[in-house]
């Protein structure tokens, strides 16, 4: 009997070993994996610029101009939540140096304004509102500061670190810290030499785990444009050696597509504004992006394996303008309508690679389970539908916890007796949303022509986007 038990346990452990996937390095950290799952969150640009109609304040604005009449961070958080955003990143301090909380490191803050007799604190109010709505909060803390008298001297680096400390200790935790790359001249006409190495070390000492955004990470990278699109080819990998933030950053195309053989896992985030400007301007009330345009940006960012950071600037009352809220609601509805009816739900799936029960994990909509091919020669996955279906989108997902692998794939649909190619793609990554002209079929083939190592996929689904 004992021998029999031993035999069974050996067989089971051998099977598990056979299924165990070897990671293809570099791979994401746990925090980066959690960040990938957020997909979409809001950016909020708010401050003196809201009241002066500027995009870049000079830093010498009278603090009293900051005077929202009906500021309500709960309205922002409520709308964000309803729109399906997982969090809000606030410009706690933009380039003008004005702090939206009463910072001890500055004399240019909400405390010096007449708003709420100097007793207001936007960072605190937003932090409470996000908690109430069950979404997360992040902060944008501009390194460039056109107000601070120490700017342009080595001491400013200490001021910046002390400012971060204040934010993290009084208002954290934050799901993301956002470092802008702009570095112009300060009040004394000097340019700052930022000690980013120290900034990084300090930030990680204030909060662990922490995701830091900048042109080149360390955790996530800029996608190379402010239009909201990430490359159709998008490697979550980046080489950072020899590069710097700002002017010394890699070419924008590299940021947009990543490096094929990049040394570090640094995925792309697409930041874009719902209006032409980052700050609120009444003249742009009729230039708010429509739900269709926002949905298209979602396909080009999240649908290319990155995250979408959508800026919605509150107006002078301190509220989201009704046009922006309406666009956000329309955008949310479009996503729900598009992706709630998975047409592959009842399909059956087979492959040329290995006939294996784990194949069901491709269709099971459980993001923790996956199917791994046993080799990386051309992999063909065949999906048979129980009935004819009309569709125009297929979503593929790699199990990126094991690294990013797929280099090139295509999608074919059975039309009559023939299979016709409907999509030619490159990378998949965390999520690839493919779209093509509407077609009616009973069979689809996914052909992975090339990958760095045997593909590991966690999801395959199909939709009809109206
Ligand atoms: C840029 C800044 O200069 C803009 O004002 C804005 O904050 C945008 C998100 O990043 O680099």
């Amino acid at each position: 009997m004992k021998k029999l038990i031993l035999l069974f346990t050996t067989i089971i452990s051998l099977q598990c070993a056979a299924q165990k996937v070897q990671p293809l390095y570099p791979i994401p950290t746990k925090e980066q994996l959690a960040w990938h799952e957020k997909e979409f969150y809001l950016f909020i640009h708010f401050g003196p610029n809201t009241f002066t109609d500027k995009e870049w304040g000079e830093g010498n604005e009278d603090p009293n101009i900051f005077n929202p009449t009906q500021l309500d961070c709960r309205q922002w958080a409520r709308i964000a939540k309803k729109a399906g955003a997982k969090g809000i990143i606030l410009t706690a301090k933009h380039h003008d140096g004005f702090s939206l909380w009463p910072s001890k490191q500055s004399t240019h803050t909400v405390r010096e304004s007449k708003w709420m007799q100097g007793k207001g604190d936007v960072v605190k109010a937003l932090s409470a509102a996000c908690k109430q709505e069950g979404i997360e909060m992040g902060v944008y803390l501009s390194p460039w500061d056109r107000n601070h008298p120490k700017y342009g001297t080595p001491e400013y680096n200490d001021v910046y670190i002390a400012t971060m400390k204040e934010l993290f200790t009084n208002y954290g935790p934050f799901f993301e810290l956002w470092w802008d790359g702009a570095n112009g001249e300060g009040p004394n006409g000097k340019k700052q030499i930022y000690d980013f190495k120290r900034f990084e070390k300090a930030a990680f000492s204030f909060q662990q785990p922490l995701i830091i955004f900048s042109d080149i990470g360390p955790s996530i990278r800029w996608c190379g444009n402010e239009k909201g699109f990430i490359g159709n080819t998008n490697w979550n990998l980046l080489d950072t050696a020899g590069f710097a933030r700002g002017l010394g950053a890699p070419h924008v195309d590299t940021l947009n597509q990543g490096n094929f053989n990049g040394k570090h896992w640094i995925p792309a985030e697409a930041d874009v504004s719902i209006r032409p400007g980052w700050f609120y301007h009444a003249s742009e009330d009729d230039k708010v992006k429509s739900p269709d345009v926002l949905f298209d940006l979602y396909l080009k960012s999240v649908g290319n394996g990155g995250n979408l950071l959508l800026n919605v600037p509150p107006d002078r009352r301190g509220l989201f303008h009704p046009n922006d809220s309406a666009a956000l609601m329309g955008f949310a509805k479009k996503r729900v309508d598009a992706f709630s009816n998975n047409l592959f739900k009842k399909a059956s799936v087979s492959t040329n690679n290995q006939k294996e029960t784990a194949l069901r994990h491709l269709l099971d909509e459980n993001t923790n389970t996956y199917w791994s091919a046993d080799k990386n020669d051309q992999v063909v996955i065949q999906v048979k539908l129980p009935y004819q279906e009309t569709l125009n989108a297929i979503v593929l997902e790699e199990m990126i916890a094991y690294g990013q692998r797929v280099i090139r794939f295509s999608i074919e649909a059975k039309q009559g007796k023939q299979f016709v190619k409907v999509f030619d793609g490159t990378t998949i990554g965390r999520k690839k949303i493919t779209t093509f002209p509407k077609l009616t079929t009973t069979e689809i083939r996914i052909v992975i022509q090339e990958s760095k190592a045997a593909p590991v996929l966690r999801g395959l689904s199909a939709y009809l986007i109206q």
Side-chain angles (χ1 to χ4, degrees):
M1 187 62 181
K2 259 191 193 161
K3 271 190 187 159
L4 212 60
I5 293 175
L6 195 71
L7 186 68
F8 275 132
T9 29
T10 318
I11 291 173
I12 288 171
S13 49
L14 275 177
Q15 269 184 347
C16 289
Q19 280 170 18
K20 216 169 164 217
V21 176
Q22 289 306 316
L24 178 73
Y25 292 99
I27 58 171
T29 61
K30 248 200 228 137
E31 296 75 54
Q32 286 172 319
L33 277 176
W35 172 86
H36 274 284
E37 295 307 313
K38 292 192 203 310
E39 286 200 351
F40 160 58
Y41 32 88
L42 296 192
F43 214 176
I44 288 192
H45 277 65
F46 188 54
N49 295 342
T50 312
F51 301 86
T52 54
D53 236 348
K54 286 185 190 164
E55 278 292 310
W56 281 4
E58 308 290 330
N60 55 7
E61 289 80 14
D62 178 351
N64 286 320
I65 53 160
F66 181 82
N67 196 15
T69 48
Q70 297 173 49
L71 182 105
D72 184 4
C73 294
R74 285 168 310 175
Q75 187 237 21
W76 310 352
R78 246 190 340 261
I79 293 172
K81 176 79 184 255
K82 267 202 176 153
K86 295 285 165 23
I88 294 179
I89 299 179
L90 172 70
T91 52
K93 180 184 86 159
H94 201 251
H95 308 328
D96 57 19
F98 185 83
S99 307
L100 292 179
W101 79 104
S103 173
K104 292 199 179 88
Q105 310 306 322
S106 167
T107 52
H108 194 50
T109 79
V110 280
R111 186 186 50 228
E112 282 73 37
S113 76
K114 63 179 173 203
W115 174 61
M116 292 181 75
Q117 290 88 45
K119 300 270 178 308
D121 185 336
V122 186
V123 180
K124 188 173 174 188
L126 183 59
S127 160
C130 286
K131 280 196 188 102
Q132 208 167 357
E133 287 302 325
I135 59 174
E136 294 184 79
M137 181 176 167
V139 278
Y140 170 119
L141 187 66
S142 171
W144 183 23
D145 190 319
R146 298 175 106 176
N147 173 271
H148 207 286
K150 294 264 168 65
Y151 191 87
T153 71
E155 288 111 288
Y156 176 78
N157 288 327
D158 301 327
V159 171
Y160 189 81
I161 288 174
T163 311
M164 282 198 293
K165 190 171 183 183
E166 265 187 21
L167 280 172
F168 279 103
T169 45
N170 297 322
Y171 308 100
F174 300 121
F175 80 92
E176 193 172 312
L177 171 62
W178 219 88
W179 282 344
D180 193 272
N183 174 7
E185 289 193 340
N188 41 22
K190 284 187 189 161
K191 265 202 174 182
Q192 181 69 30
I193 301 169
Y194 301 118
D195 193 344
F196 271 113
K197 269 219 168 83
R198 266 185 72 210
F199 292 1
E200 254 180 51
K201 223 172 137 210
F204 286 124
S205 79
F206 302 143
Q207 189 188 302
Q208 280 273 13
L210 173 67
I211 291 288
I212 302 181
F213 165 98
S214 84
D215 293 343
I216 53 168
S219 320
I220 53 173
R221 71 175 195 263
W222 184 43
C223 75
N225 64 69
E226 293 181 338
K227 297 193 177 116
F229 67 90
I230 293 172
N232 283 324
T233 296
N234 174 27
W235 291 99
N236 291 302
L237 312 177
L238 193 70
D239 286 320
T240 55
F243 293 107
R245 294 166 177 93
L247 293 176
H251 192 275
V252 285
D253 292 344
T254 305
L255 293 173
N256 199 239
Q257 305 186 3
N259 290 119
F260 179 82
N261 274 325
K263 216 166 161 214
H264 309 280
W265 187 278
I266 305 181
E269 178 185 81
D271 59 317
V272 60
S273 186
I274 199 165
R275 292 160 170 254
W278 290 102
F279 285 87
Y280 176 83
H281 308 288
S283 59
E284 294 178 353
D285 283 350
D286 58 354
K287 296 198 174 81
V288 175
K289 291 185 174 64
S290 68
D292 283 346
V293 170
L294 295 174
F295 184 74
D296 187 52
L297 291 181
Y298 176 82
L299 297 181
K300 289 178 172 142
S301 52
V302 175
N304 278 339
N307 278 3
L308 173 62
L309 171 59
L310 178 65
N311 180 63
V312 184
D315 60 19
R316 290 184 183 178
R317 295 169 306 162
L319 296 173
F320 283 174
H321 188 276
N323 293 0
D324 303 53
S325 319
L328 280 172
M329 293 307 109
F331 173 40
K333 184 173 182 316
K334 278 218 78 142
R335 292 187 338 266
V336 171
D337 289 350
F339 300 114
S340 46
N341 184 21
N342 174 9
L343 302 170
F344 280 175
K345 222 173 189 163
K346 296 202 175 107
S348 60
V349 58
S350 61
T351 174
N352 69 332
N353 192 258
Q354 55 182 18
K355 292 251 166 6
E356 233 230 293
T357 47
L359 255 181
R360 71 178 188 282
H361 293 319
L362 273 179
L363 305 186
D364 68 6
E365 297 189 342
N366 178 343
T367 52
N368 295 314
T369 59
Y370 55 87
W371 171 74
S372 57
D374 58 3
K375 50 183 183 295
N376 59 344
D377 309 344
Q378 179 157 299
V379 173
V380 181
I381 300 162
Q382 191 138 344
V383 184
K384 281 196 180 144
L385 294 157
Y387 330 97
Q388 224 174 231
E389 297 281 10
T390 301
L391 50 103
N392 59 6
I394 287 181
V395 179
L396 290 143
E397 293 171 62
E398 277 188 83
M399 189 72 187
I400 53 169
Y402 293 112
Q404 188 177 355
R405 296 161 181 244
V406 176
I407 300 172
R408 206 156 52 85
F409 73 96
S410 58
I411 300 177
E412 301 169 359
K414 197 164 186 186
Q415 300 286 273
K417 286 196 175 125
Q418 308 268 343
F419 274 92
V420 178
K421 195 189 275 184
V422 296
F423 191 89
D424 248 328
T426 53
T427 51
I428 294 178
R430 179 195 170 256
K431 187 179 260 190
K432 177 75 188 183
I433 306 176
T434 70
T435 57
F436 39 83
K438 229 189 249 183
L439 58 90
T440 302
T441 189
T442 53
E443 249 176 280
I444 294 279
R445 264 193 213 153
I446 312 294
V447 184
I448 299 178
Q449 289 106 346
E450 210 185 333
S451 55
K452 288 183 176 178
V456 189
L457 302 175
R458 74 172 191 184
L460 175 57
S461 49
Y463 305 92
L464 175 62
I465 302 175
Q466 298 289 0

